[in-house]
Amino acid sequence: ATTPDPAPISLPSAPVSAPVAAPSPTPSVAPPAPPSTVHMSDLTARMIAGTPPRYPIDSRRKREQGTVLLALTLGVDGRVANISVSRSSGFDRLDQAALSAVRKWRWAPIVQDGKPVQVKGVVEIPFVIKD
């Protein structure tokens, strides 16, 4: 007795790809919410450390005087997070001296509802030559 030859198997001409499983969704972790921001009209009462700005020598010689109004945002740690000149003294040297000094100042952190918050406010820096 002879066994019949197996029938030839035909292979498809195009490769067959196996179905790809969709990637399992990874649980998304929402980024922490930014801290709340409170507004204070004058921040000088909460300041804990800061050296007054140096009066620029050229400004003294030219008798430049004025008050710089700085708008700032304090981070939750009491450090300056953002600062800009809100009202110029009229003299760039005085404005820059005020910016440079206040950037290094520190304030007591503000806590609201048990959480630290950012604070927006202003600081006035007068430059007056005394005779």
Side-chain angles (χ1 to χ4, degrees), residues 97-116:
L99 283 167
S100 178
V102 174
R103 265 190 194 99
K104 300 172 190 162
W105 290 6
R106 301 291 173 260
W107 282 263
I110 306 292
V111 176
Q112 200 171 52
D113 297 328
K115 295 181 181 175

Side-chain angles (χ1 to χ4, degrees), residues 20-92:
V20 177
S24 63
T26 56
S28 62
V29 177
S36 300
T37 302
V38 296
H39 296 270
M40 295 180 76
S41 59
D42 184 14
L43 296 173
T44 52
R46 302 282 307 173
M47 191 176 89
I48 56 175
T51 304
R54 293 180 50 93
Y55 212 121
I57 293 172
D58 286 344
S59 292
R60 282 182 188 261
R61 286 184 188 140
K62 294 180 180 187
R63 305 202 51 80
E64 296 172 345
Q65 299 183 84
T67 299
V68 183
L69 187 64
L70 299 174
L72 32 120
T73 302
L74 303 178
V76 295
D77 59 356
R79 295 176 185 264
V80 175
N82 191 12
I83 187 169
S84 63
V85 174
S86 178
R87 187 182 68 224
S88 173
S89 64
F91 302 99
D92 188 57

